[in-house]
Amino acid sequence: MEWADFRSDTVTYPTPAMRSAMAQAEVGDDVFGEDPTVARLEQMAAKRVGMESALFVASGTMGNLAAVLTHCQRGDEIILGHRSHTYLHEAGGVSALGGVHPRTVPNQDDGTIEPQDIVGAIRALDDHFPTTRLIVLENTHNMSGGTPLGVNYVQQVGTLAREHGLRLHIDGARIFNAAVALGRPASELAAPADTITFCLSKGLCAPVGSLLCGSAEFIRLARRTRKQLGGGMRQAGILAAAGIVALETMVDRLGEDHQRARRLAAGLREIPGIQVEHDPPPTNMVYFRLDPLTGMTTQSLIEALASRSIRLTARNPYRMRLVVHYWIDDEAIQQVVEGIAAAMSKP
Ligand code: TLP
C-alpha cells in the first residue's frame, strides 16, 4: 500500500539517483580520514554555508550536541529558545552528556528571540553563576511554523554575540528551506554564526546524515567530540554519496514543497473548525488547531485518515503539524484536504 506520509520530512526515502550513487560510492575508513566520498561531501557542505570546514555526523541531534560540547565546558550555559528543538527534542543531551546548562528565553511567534531577552540572560561574572558561552538559534524554526529567520535578524544576534564575547551556533536542520523561502544563499544566513548544523535527511531526502560546519580549527576539535559520542563512522561514503546527490539536486526544488504547503493551508482554512497557524505557511510545514467544540480530536483525524492511506501525527489533542516534502505530490495534497474535510463533517 502506498502511504502519503505527512508526519515529517524525515520520512523521506532516497531517490533512485541516490540509491545508485550509494551503490557505486568510492569508500575508505573515514576514522582514518580515508573516505574520499565523505571528504567530498564535507567540502561541498562547507562551501554551501560559507564555512572553512565541515564534519559528517549521524543526525541533526548529534550535530547540535557535538557543536555544544565542542563550544562549551561543564558548567557553561547556552542561551536558546524555549521552543527550540535542542531544548525540547534532543533528550536533554547537552546537560546529560555535557554538563551544559540550558537557559531558555522566549521564542516569539516567528521563531526569533528578542535581542534584549538574550542580553538579559547573559550572566555576570560571579561564582554563583554558570558561565554564558553560546547562543543557539534555529533556522527554520520548527515549532514556530517552520518560519525562516531573516538575514538581518541573524546578523543582529551575531553582532550581539561578538559584543558579549559569546559564540553563535545555528541549528539549521532546514537551512535550505530558509534560504529558498527568503531567496538568499544559505551562506548569508550562516555568515554571522560560528557554527551551523544542517540536515541531509529531511527535505533533501538523503537517508542519513547531517553536517556540522565551522572553522577548520573548530571542526578539528568537533571530530574528536564526534568520536567520543561514538559517531566515528567507517565506510560512511555509502551514506555521504546520497548526501552529495541531495546537495546537488534537491535544494533548488524545495520551493515546490513550499508552494504545496501553501495550497494545503488554503484547503484546510476553508474547513469549519480548523484554524491554520502561520497562514500562509512560510516553508514546508502547516500547523493547525482544531476547535474543541467540533468534538474532533487529532487522534480521531489520524484514525480517519489512516483508512485513506494517509499518515498524520499530532502535537496534542487539538494541534497538528503536516509536513510537505519530495514524496508528497499534488494528488496527496488534494487527498489529505478531502479526507480531513470529510472527517470534520461527520456528526
Ligand atoms: N526534527 C524532527 C523531530 O525530531 C521533531 C521533525 O520531525 O521535525 N533540529 C531541528 C530543527 C529538527 O526539526 C530536528 C528533527 C533536528 C534538529 C534533529 O534531527 P535528527 O532527527 O536528524 O536528529
Side-chain angles (χ1 to χ4, degrees):
M1 184 170 47
E2 269 293 308
W3 286 84
D5 197 337
F6 288 88
R7 289 173 301 169
S8 181
D9 46 11
T10 60
V11 303
T12 47
Y13 41 88
T15 62
M18 288 177 189
R19 287 183 190 269
S20 124
M22 293 171 82
Q24 285 152 30
E26 206 187 322
V27 296
D29 189 327
D30 186 51
V31 176
F32 291 149
E34 290 173 2
D35 190 303
T37 311
V38 171
R40 200 170 142 230
L41 172 65
E42 290 177 343
Q43 278 158 19
M44 281 176 71
K47 198 158 166 229
R48 286 303 278 246
V49 295
M51 300 264 175
E52 270 177 0
S53 241
L55 183 70
F56 187 43
V57 292
S59 64
T61 301
M62 185 184 277
N64 290 332
L65 181 58
V68 172
L69 299 195
T70 307
H71 280 298
C72 302
Q73 311 211 325
R74 299 183 74 79
D76 282 353
E77 189 165 72
I78 59 175
I79 297 175
L80 75 180
H82 75 303
R83 287 186 294 161
S84 63
H85 194 276
T86 299
Y87 181 62
L88 291 177
H89 291 136
E90 294 175 13
V94 298
S95 42
L97 303 175
V100 174
H101 199 243
R103 175 83 179 270
T104 55
V105 282
N107 278 120
Q108 305 301 308
D109 265 359
D110 62 359
T112 59
I113 303 168
E114 294 287 349
Q116 72 260 25
D117 288 340
I118 298 177
V119 174
I122 298 172
R123 305 281 191 165
L125 282 179
D126 181 313
D127 284 347
H128 293 84
F129 298 148
T131 308
T132 310
R133 185 74 60 199
L134 177 73
I135 301 167
V136 179
L137 293 178
E138 185 178 310
N139 198 5
T140 62
H141 199 277
N142 186 344
M143 293 292 279
S144 306
T147 307
L149 309 185
V151 172
N152 290 346
Y153 172 74
V154 183
Q155 274 170 356
Q156 211 182 335
V157 177
T159 305
L160 184 164
R162 277 190 301 281
E163 280 170 4
H164 289 86
L166 304 178
R167 315 230 179 98
L168 174 61
H169 172 70
I170 297 177
D171 173 1
R174 298 182 181 83
I175 196 67
F176 297 111
N177 293 86
V180 166
L182 298 167
R184 308 294 281 263
S187 55
E188 217 178 322
L189 291 168
D194 297 280
T195 53
I196 182 165
T197 305
F198 71 80
C199 295
L200 300 166
S201 59
K202 299 193 167 63
L204 304 186
C205 285
V208 179
S210 297
L211 276 304
L212 168 58
C213 312
S215 68
E217 175 59 8
F218 183 90
I219 295 300
R220 190 182 67 76
L221 298 171
R223 198 173 290 280
R224 183 180 163 77
T225 310
R226 182 185 69 172
K227 190 78 184 120
Q228 290 176 324
L229 296 173
M233 297 183 282
R234 302 293 178 174
Q235 286 73 34
I238 299 276
L239 302 172
I244 290 172
V245 177
L247 280 182
E248 280 175 343
T249 67
M250 303 301 279
V251 172
D252 293 339
R253 61 152 305 283
L254 289 171
E256 290 175 33
D257 298 340
H258 302 173
Q259 261 176 25
R260 288 199 177 95
R262 287 197 290 274
R263 228 172 296 146
L264 171 57
L268 293 175
R269 91 169 70 97
E270 300 303 320
I271 302 173
I274 285 190
Q275 174 77 46
V276 178
E277 297 177 6
H278 302 278
D279 194 12
T283 57
N284 66 331
M285 299 179 175
V286 181
Y287 279 85
F288 68 85
R289 282 181 191 281
L290 291 179
D291 180 347
L293 296 177
T294 61
M296 287 294 284
T297 61
T298 50
Q299 188 54 37
S300 38
L301 273 190
I302 290 170
E303 285 160 22
L305 274 284
S307 65
R308 294 175 179 243
S309 306
I310 295 174
R311 282 202 169 114
L312 304 178
T313 184
R315 296 277 144 181
N316 69 39
Y318 300 107
R319 187 164 185 248
M320 243 182 179
R321 180 190 75 165
L322 270 60
V323 186
V324 178
H325 51 75
Y326 182 73
W327 299 106
I328 295 292
D329 58 13
D330 291 333
E331 202 188 320
I333 299 287
Q334 194 185 331
Q335 280 170 1
V336 77
V337 173
E338 280 171 13
I340 293 177
M344 295 290 292
S345 68
K346 293 237 170 72

